[in-house]
Amino acid sequence: MTRVLLTGAAGFIGGHIRSALEPNHDVVAIDAMLASAHGHSGEHGSGEYGSGDTSSGESGRDITRVDVRDHAALVELLTGVDVVCHQAAVVGAGVNSADAPAYASHNDFGTAVLLAAMAETGCTRLVLASSMVVYGEGKYRNAAGDLVMPGPRTRLADGIFENTDPATGEVLDWTLVEEDAELRPRSTYAASKVAQENYALAWSLATGGSVTALRYHNVYGPHMPRNTPYSGVAAMFRSSLEAGKAPQVYEDGHQARDFVHVSDIAAANTAAIDAALPGFTALNVSSGHPITIGEVASTLSDACHGPAPEITGQYRPGDVRHIVASPEKARRTLGFVAAISPEQGLREFATAPLRDAEGTGAPRV
């Protein structure tokens, strides 16, 4: 039986991965229980996390409370581990620049410490939670089918939201992004995910170890955290509907995304652990069924019999317009195909239980 060290095991995605793994794998579950993800009840008063402190996650199963920046604790826990499934991270785009040190500390430095501990203990396999945000603005073509890098969206205040060709002003069409696309992070979180991949690639080359970096698309599903500045948009829409309010949709609602159910994320991680791909492999993990943000809001509103979404025209300057990536490489290499379409999954999500503990913002460094 494969022994798996699962970081971030008490989190939204980590908890689902653990449930998927445990029937056929020996799982060592760890989590720092940061207040940013678990509320104040999850964090030690001093913000320090000792090795060997065991607590219970939402399911009541034991989780060892360990910060991935604690090298000594990781070395002890890695004994006999065959593969690390690294989900622990500070998530979300970040509210402002003051959040950057927390992302760099927990995501970048934490991953570097984990990789060093793996090298020290001889653990040679890593499955890494990455994200489609590493691609930045996505991939676009003009009417002739030529690839074009769009210029900055400078007319958002005028309600002009689509990307255009900087040379001609022509509106560009989005197309699927493949794994060999250039990485262009546009947020603090995205920068940290690129850094994690780079550290993992360097570790793989230096040690001969294998890394499968799973680039998740917009993940949603049962036990997703409730509305915080760091939540996904599906949870924000849910929170509005539960309060009897219309979901607030930014821009014109036509932004294209791919929403992938958390159970499919768990299945992709299980497949990556079992496949043991050699070297460094990055894979998009998505449903394969693009959907607009407006359609997400409408689907949830209809399923909840709630107020219709409100298209606000508001915008966040750092947001990308469209980002949808190809799932084909994951299908070829892992045999992974998402089982739940966004339409089905979002309707079920409309009444699914959410995580009770609300995060408190970016953690202390």
Side-chain angles (χ1 to χ4, degrees):
M1 181 178 286
T2 303
R3 188 171 177 83
V4 181
L5 177 67
L6 174 62
T7 73
F12 164 49
I13 294 174
H16 283 271
I17 292 173
R18 185 179 183 187
S19 294
L21 287 175
E22 282 189 328
N24 301 303
H25 302 78
D26 179 15
V27 179
V28 179
I30 69 172
D31 199 294
M33 300 299 292
L34 295 173
S36 58
H38 302 283
H40 287 298
S41 60
E43 187 178 32
H44 288 304
S46 66
E48 297 296 329
Y49 305 94
S51 22
D53 178 17
T54 302
S55 60
S56 293
E58 291 185 344
S59 64
R61 296 171 292 178
D62 286 341
I63 292 175
T64 301
R65 190 173 299 203
V66 170
D67 190 316
V68 292
R69 299 170 298 180
D70 186 340
H71 178 84
L74 291 176
V75 168
E76 182 178 349
L77 289 163
L78 280 164
T79 301
V81 166
D82 301 298
V83 56
V84 173
C85 185
H86 185 32
Q87 306 297 315
V90 178
V91 300
V95 172
N96 55 50
S97 297
D99 290 341
Y103 284 83
S105 180
H106 289 271
N107 297 2
D108 305 353
F109 179 64
T111 298
V113 172
L114 173 63
L115 292 168
M118 290 175 67
E120 183 173 329
T121 57
C123 182
T124 60
R125 293 181 53 208
L126 174 70
V127 174
L128 173 67
S130 188
S131 172
M132 56 84 183
V133 297
V134 300
Y135 298 123
E137 190 61 64
K139 186 176 179 180
Y140 296 84
R141 295 185 185 275
N142 61 20
D146 302 321
L147 289 174
V148 176
M149 178 60 65
R153 296 195 293 161
T154 59
R155 300 189 63 191
L156 295 171
D158 298 326
I160 307 300
F161 301 121
E162 291 293 351
N163 281 307
T164 57
D165 186 331
T168 67
E170 173 189 354
V171 172
L172 300 172
D173 295 321
W174 64 265
T175 189
L176 296 177
V177 182
E178 297 175 335
E179 287 84 353
D180 60 356
E182 185 177 355
L183 305 186
R184 292 176 173 268
R186 291 177 53 121
S187 70
T188 301
Y189 174 63
S192 75
K193 283 296 167 184
V194 172
Q196 284 184 309
E197 287 198 17
N198 286 339
Y199 277 112
L201 172 59
W203 171 87
S204 175
L205 294 172
T207 65
S210 70
V211 177
T212 303
L214 301 178
R215 293 173 178 167
Y216 304 158
H217 278 246
N218 297 70
V219 186
Y220 69 98
H223 306 296
M224 192 174 186
R226 292 187 183 276
N227 187 19
T228 81
Y230 302 86
S231 291
V233 68
M236 293 181 180
F237 290 162
R238 265 288 309 269
S239 295
S240 294
L241 289 164
E242 287 180 344
K245 299 177 181 178
Q248 302 294 292
V249 179
Y250 277 26
E251 300 190 14
D252 57 4
H254 294 159
Q255 309 94 304
R257 298 289 190 272
D258 189 305
F259 278 71
V260 57
H261 196 274
V262 68
S263 64
D264 284 321
I265 293 290
N269 276 272
T270 301
I273 288 167
D274 292 341
L277 300 176
F280 180 94
T281 306
L283 298 172
N284 296 324
V285 181
S286 64
S287 74
H289 298 278
I291 188 172
T292 69
I293 296 297
E295 288 171 334
V296 171
S298 294
T299 300
L300 292 172
S301 293
D302 290 347
C304 291
H305 305 289
E310 180 180 329
I311 307 300
T312 68
Q314 297 179 48
Y315 59 90
R316 285 179 287 257
D319 281 356
V320 300
R321 178 59 177 174
H322 306 292
I323 176 68
V324 180
S326 170
E328 284 305 303
K329 187 176 178 183
R331 181 189 60 79
R332 292 195 309 268
T333 58
L334 295 182
F336 169 76
V337 177
I340 300 176
S341 69
E343 182 177 1
Q344 172 195 348
L346 287 166
R347 287 192 172 278
E348 294 173 354
F349 177 67
T351 55
L354 297 182
R355 182 183 291 271
D356 289 333
E358 294 195 15
T360 58
R364 295 187 294 275
V365 178

